[in-house]
Amino acid sequence: MITGYNTDVRHHEFVFHVQTEDKGLDNPFIESLVYVGGQVLAAKRAGYAELLSGGEGERAILDLMDRQHRTVIAAIKQGKFDSKLEALLGARRPPTDHEATGAHEKIELTAPQPIPAPPAPPAPVSATGSRPALSERSLDQVILEYLTSEADQEQLLLTVDGDRNLSLGRAAELAFRTTSSKTGRPVPGSRIQIRMISTVTDPRILAQGDTDPDGSLVLAFSVPSIDRGTAALIITASGSVGRAELKHLL
């Protein structure tokens, strides 16, 4: 199984990249990494060995990964990583919205620039008509507010099943399904592309196709061999409700 989420989050004038991946049944934990300017700013890990021992399966793992990914995004939007970002700014300036394509270029600063405090979102009104202070609000409340604001934004969900031992020089077959995050219904006609990138060769497309009326597609392909360096598969899906991407290191 290949699973993962990649999301760019704009907070103030900076671009945060959140990557959440399932490390697999042999190493059962979910890892979320927060990148700014190509550098890891923070990491969050959660194990799910107890889910497996309790008889839970893929659905529970996917739910955990989705929940953790949204939690990290909510934390960014609430300024939870601002202090870490301020420390990073002393040596490197993250890319702004207009500079995202140069995310790996190091730029030295003479002095760090302060980050303005994020505006506080409206808190729920109590029975007395007062609102709790921001410091009194739990992380669960913050996440709930974020998920509520996201509820009306339909997104494309991509799930993959197939060869668990994808590796260089081998043939493989993967089954894909595209659905709507809002309705859970299939998203037919979504273009799925499997691309291989490496440190020693140019990117190459290994297979591509469109999902059927059930939102399903099976692609068979061969993974080329390389004598040195590292490689990864990048799987993208583009449909009527958005775009999704998965990555797998070979």
Side-chain angles (χ1 to χ4, degrees):
M1 171 62 65
I2 308 173
T3 53
Y5 294 101
N6 289 272
T7 303
D8 286 332
V9 182
R10 290 175 175 83
H11 177 58
H12 301 310
E13 74 270 33
F14 304 113
V15 178
F16 295 71
H17 182 75
V18 183
Q19 176 179 298
T20 300
E21 294 181 333
D22 171 18
K23 292 302 181 179
L25 299 180
D26 294 333
N27 193 17
F29 69 88
I30 304 297
E31 179 182 67
S32 295
L33 298 176
V34 180
Y35 294 89
V36 177
Q39 181 171 333
V40 176
L41 182 70
K44 177 178 175 60
R45 297 178 178 87
Y48 58 84
E50 292 185 0
L51 291 177
L52 298 177
S53 62
E56 299 288 350
E58 177 183 319
R59 183 69 261 171
I61 297 172
L62 289 174
D63 287 344
L64 174 63
M65 183 169 60
D66 180 74
R67 186 164 60 250
Q68 179 166 304
H69 191 71
R70 290 175 178 267
T71 297
V72 174
I73 291 175
I76 291 173
K77 290 179 176 289
Q78 292 297 320
K80 301 296 184 181
F81 301 115
D82 282 3
S83 60
K84 291 186 177 182
L85 183 56
E86 286 178 342
L88 181 65
L89 285 174
R92 184 176 182 181
R93 180 171 66 86
T96 64
D97 292 350
H98 302 292
E99 301 170 335
T101 56
H104 296 282
E105 180 183 357
K106 292 187 177 180
I107 302 175
E108 298 298 330
L109 295 180
T110 56
Q113 299 297 317
I115 299 175
V125 180
S126 67
T128 61
S130 62
R131 296 179 184 273
L134 181 61
S135 59
E136 296 174 356
R137 294 164 58 226
S138 68
L139 181 58
D140 286 343
Q141 287 175 308
V142 172
I143 296 171
L144 179 60
E145 290 172 6
Y146 170 73
L147 294 180
T148 300
S149 68
E150 293 283 299
D152 293 331
Q153 298 183 15
E154 189 174 22
Q155 299 176 358
L156 183 68
L157 297 182
L158 173 65
T159 56
V160 188
D161 195 9
D163 196 336
R164 295 175 180 270
N165 298 310
L166 286 169
S167 59
L168 295 168
R170 294 185 66 247
E173 184 175 272
L174 296 176
F176 301 93
R177 182 171 172 79
T178 51
T179 56
S180 164
S181 64
K182 188 174 181 179
T183 66
R185 295 177 179 174
V187 181
S190 298
R191 169 54 57 97
I192 296 178
Q193 183 182 93
I194 303 174
R195 188 162 50 100
M196 175 177 161
I197 61 173
S198 77
T199 56
V200 295
T201 62
D202 293 332
R204 65 188 78 178
I205 297 175
L206 304 184
Q208 60 183 349
D210 298 332
T211 56
D212 63 18
D214 293 326
S216 300
L217 175 68
V218 176
L219 291 176
F221 58 98
S222 295
V223 182
S225 296
I226 57 175
D227 297 329
R228 55 189 174 86
T230 58
L233 294 182
I234 308 297
I235 302 173
T236 58
S238 300
S240 59
V241 298
R243 184 177 184 276
E245 181 179 282
L246 304 176
K247 298 179 181 179
H248 178 72
L249 185 64
L250 296 169

